Amino acid sequence: MCLAVPLKIVRIDGKTAVGEAAGLSQKLRVDFIPDVQPGDYVMVHAGFAIQKLTPEQAEENMSCIQEAIDAL
């Protein structure tokens, strides 16, 4: 099973960025998202941003992930 997670971009350096969610930060590649900016939300899979999200979409995804964690 594959899992992608929403992260908020906090810093970009070329094709590398740092995103964060829930107090954790992660390095990622932004090769597939040409117009990404700090403050944008992206869906990240295997270290690559694969889709841009609205803040509402990111929040909904994070809520679903938290619901799954709480069910364990």
Side-chain angles (χ1 to χ4, degrees):
M1 179 170 99
C2 297
L3 178 65
V5 240
L7 296 178
K8 182 177 184 176
I9 301 294
V10 294
R11 187 171 59 249
I12 299 173
D13 182 19
K15 295 292 184 184
T16 303
V18 175
E20 62 181 33
L24 301 172
S25 62
Q26 176 71 40
K27 285 185 180 180
L28 60 126
R29 297 286 302 195
V30 292
D31 304 69
F32 305 131
I33 313 291
D35 60 342
V36 71
Q37 300 292 320
D40 288 344
Y41 288 88
V42 293
M43 190 64 84
V44 178
H45 172 69
F48 285 85
I50 57 172
Q51 179 182 359
K52 221 170 164 178
L53 302 172
T54 66
E56 295 80 17
Q57 290 170 319
E59 179 60 37
E60 183 178 351
N61 269 277
M62 288 303 292
S63 293
C64 290
I65 292 169
Q66 189 59 52
E67 186 178 324
I69 290 168
D70 292 344
L72 295 177

